[in-house]
Amino acid sequence: MFLLEISYTSFFEATLTSVLSLVLLLAASHQLWSLRWHSTRDRGSTLPLPKGSMGWPFFGETLHWLVQGSSFHSSRREKYGNVFKTHLLGKPVIRVTGAENIRKILLGEHSLVSTQWPQSTQMILGSNTLSNSIGELHRQKRKVMSKVLSSAALECYFPRIQEAVRWEVRGWCRGVGPVSMFACAKALTFRIASRILLGLSLTDSQFHELARTFEQLVENLFSLPLDIPFSGLRKGIKARDTLHQYMEEAIKEKLTRRDPDACEDALDYLINSAKEGGKEINMQELKESAIELLFAAFLTTASASTSLVLLLLKHPSAILKMRQELASHGFSKQCQCLPDMENPNNNILQDNGHRCLTAGCQLPLLMGTEGHLKTQGEQTEQLLTDKTDPQNSLSSKNPLKGKNRIQEAPCSHDKSTCTPVPGKLQSPVSEGTSQQNSNLEKIKSLHYLECVVKEVLRLLPPVSGGYRTALQTFELDGYQIPKGWSVMYSIRDTHETAAVYQNAEMFDPERFSSERDEGKLGKFNYIPFGGGVRSCIGKELAKVILKILAMELVTTAKWELATPSFPKMQTVPVVHPVDGLQLSFSFLSSSDRDRAARNGSLA
């Protein structure tokens, strides 16, 4: 018995000694890690480093950042101030908030700072992308991409984007049961990016496989720089290689089939720009540019689209005001009566013995097997019997090829410069429909819609900020920013803390009205697309998609939450609801429209 007690005591002492040794070792390593980074301060500057914590050796505070999301930065901002230090994704980082601080960074591109995405992002996207290029190379690439996404190009893309949005929204309304809004938005934006911008001819299976692979790439863009089996970086690289293989085949096919001077989509323009001056095509550069274009139009726009739907659901008064504005500008819809047919989900209205699709439901013009336009009844019957996955309603039938397809025609172009010029969707409008395809000039006249989009992007900007690297040591808010350190400016925190916004936490689109226009009180208080020479090149495309989606939703659909409460928001890699935002959609009825009209007259 005595020996047994001794053995228990020895075991306890050994365990306690091991635990204490581990604690002391961790404490010592934490302190040495902090001293290691403190020693990198610029001795030539008398200013101190910003306050903050560098976390644990190698990992820094990356795990805290991934788990805590937006609260990570807000809690440290409250503790340390608008400029604080941390260690994320293998690098020392200075996190910056505030209009004046951000102004200095964004306007200091190429002098104080240079773009520097995390190492994992650089490795996955590649060195030939616009986001990873600097200096003259960046200016050249930005010039090319600016033409791809110019106003003239957007006029060309507009009708096809509008048709894609209309089709998707009707798919959500026809579906049985709730849908994941974020998944729906990603399906829509990936379709726009792949089929309309890049002009890829994809079968349904190819589309779904490509979308899944691309999402895997995006999910691992911000990961620890560990290229080991099963790591996030390894998964991202694998997805990138798969996408590059497909893009190379698509580019080669395009080169063999296309008119050398044709410019029907963004990929055509990238190819022609690559051949300017007799240069040989750099396939690697083309592949990386094409993937970057997909990235630019995909996840951030899907995030903003989901936020738009969420905030409109929370604030139905904004929907009412949007309907009033659309009606005053001639965008209101009339009920389109069609022959009686079976209705699988009670989303058709009765009208004088006929069944009517939701008011003003303009159907895409579908081609029959012999190439003739289908009648309204045939079109509607096909739509109603097309029982597709509501999250991917466009994917059941490839709308760009096959016997049942949306009728589209290539844009008209100035072949001398290969710059897309305004064009129209070459589809006759069926008798009985009242809404024509609108254009950029018309939607620019919708001022309240513009305010809604701005407010959505202010409250829930898709990305939390941008990355830079200090080219030299400089001062910011009384602290030194050492040369070589990463600088991450915060979009979300700046929007939340800007003094120019009255009740900044509230959804108030009219803060951007001409009477108030709080956004003009300080240029860098509103930066959802960044600023300076690195501002988001696809911002006008994103705003067009958001406006078209908002117009289609408020004139066609109603939606409600399919869960007991609104979900929490996650911020990595972009802002999105943790559960995807489960919603139930249905078509607007005549009574809904009449009620909205009465409320509008009372207002």
Side-chain angles (χ1 to χ4, degrees):
M1 189 68 176
F2 179 72
L3 292 176
L4 186 61
E5 289 179 358
I6 292 177
S7 64
Y8 279 141
T9 303
S10 300
F11 175 76
F12 177 76
E13 290 176 348
T15 302
L16 183 61
T17 301
S18 299
V19 170
L20 288 175
S21 299
L22 180 61
V23 170
L24 289 173
L25 179 63
L26 289 174
S29 62
H30 184 276
Q31 188 64 26
L32 290 172
W33 178 253
S34 298
L35 290 173
R36 178 254 187 275
W37 291 111
H38 184 76
S39 66
T40 63
R41 66 181 297 274
D42 190 337
R43 303 292 180 181
S45 172
T46 59
L47 297 173
L49 285 172
K51 298 176 182 178
S53 170
M54 302 305 283
W56 297 97
F58 186 74
F59 293 101
E61 294 192 299
T62 300
L63 298 179
H64 295 82
W65 172 57
L66 292 174
V67 171
Q68 296 177 16
S70 60
S71 63
F72 172 85
H73 295 298
S74 58
S75 62
R76 282 154 179 77
R77 186 188 73 240
E78 292 171 3
K79 184 176 182 180
Y80 301 121
N82 281 345
V83 179
F84 64 86
K85 69 177 183 287
T86 182
H87 192 281
L88 300 175
L89 301 175
K91 282 203 163 192
V93 177
I94 304 293
R95 174 81 172 190
V96 179
T97 298
E100 285 306 309
N101 292 333
I102 289 178
R103 177 182 179 276
K104 189 169 185 177
I105 291 170
L106 294 180
L107 297 185
E109 185 74 29
H110 304 316
S111 56
L112 291 179
V113 297
S114 176
T115 187
Q116 183 72 63
W117 287 93
Q119 190 176 352
S120 59
T121 309
Q122 296 179 56
M123 293 174 68
I124 292 172
L125 288 183
S127 59
N128 293 300
T129 55
L130 176 67
S131 56
N132 286 327
S133 59
I134 59 175
E136 182 59 30
L137 180 60
H138 173 261
R139 282 187 283 271
Q140 292 174 2
K141 288 184 175 294
R142 189 174 179 88
K143 183 178 179 181
V144 171
M145 296 295 266
S146 295
K147 291 181 179 178
V148 167
L149 298 169
S150 65
S151 295
L154 291 181
E155 281 283 5
C156 176
Y157 307 142
F158 189 95
R160 287 175 284 174
I161 293 174
Q162 190 176 37
E163 288 296 340
V165 171
R166 282 176 177 168
W167 191 286
E168 285 287 339
V169 170
R170 280 153 180 74
W172 307 340
C173 292
R174 292 195 309 274
V176 178
V179 298
S180 168
M181 186 60 226
F182 190 45
C184 287
K186 287 188 289 186
L188 171 61
T189 55
F190 189 75
R191 195 174 306 280
I192 290 172
S194 61
R195 284 181 168 161
I196 296 176
L197 295 188
L198 296 184
L200 301 181
S201 297
L202 301 168
T203 64
D204 293 339
S205 59
Q206 285 176 325
F207 176 82
H208 289 302
E209 183 62 31
L210 204 63
R212 281 193 295 269
T213 304
F214 189 76
E215 193 156 355
Q216 183 177 336
L217 177 145
V218 172
E219 288 174 351
N220 293 288
L221 277 176
F222 302 97
S223 54
L224 287 171
L226 291 172
D227 189 9
I228 58 177
F230 308 110
S231 67
L233 180 60
R234 178 66 63 85
K235 292 176 183 176
I237 291 174
K238 182 180 178 181
R240 177 204 65 192
D241 292 343
T242 301
L243 289 167
H244 279 190
Q245 182 179 356
Y246 181 85
M247 288 307 307
E248 183 169 351
E249 293 173 359
I251 291 169
K252 288 179 178 178
E253 182 181 358
K254 212 169 182 56
L255 287 170
T256 58
R257 291 170 48 188
R258 66 194 286 275
D259 178 348
D261 296 320
C263 193
E264 298 179 357
D265 49 55
L267 186 54
D268 280 326
Y269 189 85
L270 291 175
I271 291 172
N272 281 15
S273 297
K275 295 193 300 183
E276 282 182 358
K279 295 184 294 185
E280 286 192 15
I281 289 180
N282 184 325
M283 183 60 73
Q284 184 66 22
E285 183 175 346
L286 269 179
K287 290 187 294 186
E288 291 181 6
S289 296
I291 298 302
E292 184 177 36
L293 196 57
L294 280 176
F295 177 69
F298 171 59
L299 197 62
T300 53
T301 308
S303 167
S305 298
T306 305
S307 298
L308 169 71
V309 175
L310 171 65
L311 290 172
L312 288 179
L313 177 61
K314 288 183 175 181
H315 302 89
S317 60
I319 296 177
L320 175 60
K321 290 179 181 179
M322 290 170 65
R323 286 175 180 156
Q324 292 171 353
E325 182 179 58
L326 290 169
S328 67
H329 285 74
F331 285 95
S332 59
K333 297 181 176 182
Q334 303 299 322
C335 181
Q336 176 182 333
C337 296
L338 299 171
D340 193 350
M341 61 187 62
E342 196 172 332
N343 175 22
N345 60 353
N346 296 317
N347 278 332
I348 296 184
L349 317 176
Q350 292 285 351
D351 187 13
N352 298 327
H354 289 77
R355 291 176 183 260
C356 298
L357 267 170
T358 180
C361 185
Q362 179 184 355
L363 301 176
L365 296 174
L366 303 178
M367 298 298 290
T369 54
E370 274 74 41
H372 67 279
L373 282 172
K374 291 190 173 185
T375 65
Q376 289 182 2
E378 290 173 329
Q379 294 178 47
T380 310
E381 185 172 13
Q382 180 183 317
L383 286 174
L384 293 176
T385 56
D386 178 21
K387 297 180 180 178
T388 63
D389 178 357
Q391 295 182 18
N392 300 289
S393 59
L394 260 174
S395 62
S396 62
K397 290 181 177 67
N398 186 341
L400 303 184
K401 60 187 293 187
K403 66 179 183 180
N404 293 317
R405 60 184 173 86
I406 296 174
Q407 183 182 0
E408 294 181 333
C411 307
S412 55
H413 308 280
D414 176 1
K415 293 186 178 181
S416 62
T417 60
C418 197
T419 301
V421 297
K424 295 181 179 179
L425 188 68
Q426 303 300 315
S427 299
V429 178
S430 299
E431 183 181 355
T433 60
S434 63
Q435 180 164 339
Q436 302 284 345
N437 283 320
S438 42
N439 56 37
L440 292 180
E441 289 305 316
K442 286 184 180 179
I443 64 171
K444 284 180 182 178
S445 67
L446 301 171
H447 300 302
Y448 186 73
L449 175 61
E450 175 76 17
C451 292
V452 168
V453 170
K454 281 185 175 180
E455 181 69 344
V456 169
L457 294 172
R458 184 193 71 84
L459 267 180
L460 294 172
V463 294
S464 60
Y467 289 90
R468 300 291 187 271
T469 292
L471 296 176
Q472 58 178 292
T473 300
F474 63 95
E475 180 271 338
L476 203 62
D477 214 18
Y479 298 103
Q480 67 161 274
I481 310 300
K483 179 181 179 180
W485 278 45
S486 293
V487 180
M488 184 181 183
Y489 67 88
S490 173
I491 294 173
R492 187 176 302 105
D493 291 353
T494 297
H495 288 180
E496 290 177 355
T497 59
V500 300
Y501 298 124
Q502 301 175 22
N503 301 315
E505 73 284 354
M506 293 179 58
F507 179 76
D508 182 12
E510 292 183 15
R511 71 172 76 248
F512 292 105
S513 64
S514 57
E515 293 79 13
R516 291 167 60 184
D517 207 354
E518 297 173 4
K520 281 191 174 179
L521 298 178
K523 181 178 180 182
F524 291 92
N525 287 305
Y526 183 76
I527 48 170
F529 299 105
V533 298
R534 291 278 179 179
S535 62
C536 176
I537 198 139
K539 60 184 178 182
E540 294 304 323
L541 172 65
K543 289 194 289 186
V544 164
I545 293 174
L546 290 174
K547 289 179 180 180
I548 292 174
L549 177 60
M551 291 169 63
E552 192 61 28
L553 282 171
V554 302
T555 56
T556 299
K558 56 183 178 180
W559 58 102
E560 59 186 20
L561 197 63
T563 53
S565 59
F566 287 102
K568 293 182 178 180
M569 302 299 285
Q570 188 171 324
T571 59
V572 180
V574 294
V575 170
H576 65 279
V578 292
D579 70 347
L581 187 59
Q582 302 299 311
L583 299 176
S584 296
F585 284 88
S586 60
F587 287 118
L588 279 178
S589 65
S590 296
S591 58
D592 293 325
R593 200 172 301 279
D594 292 341
R595 190 181 307 113
R598 286 195 300 273
N599 292 339
S601 62
L602 289 174

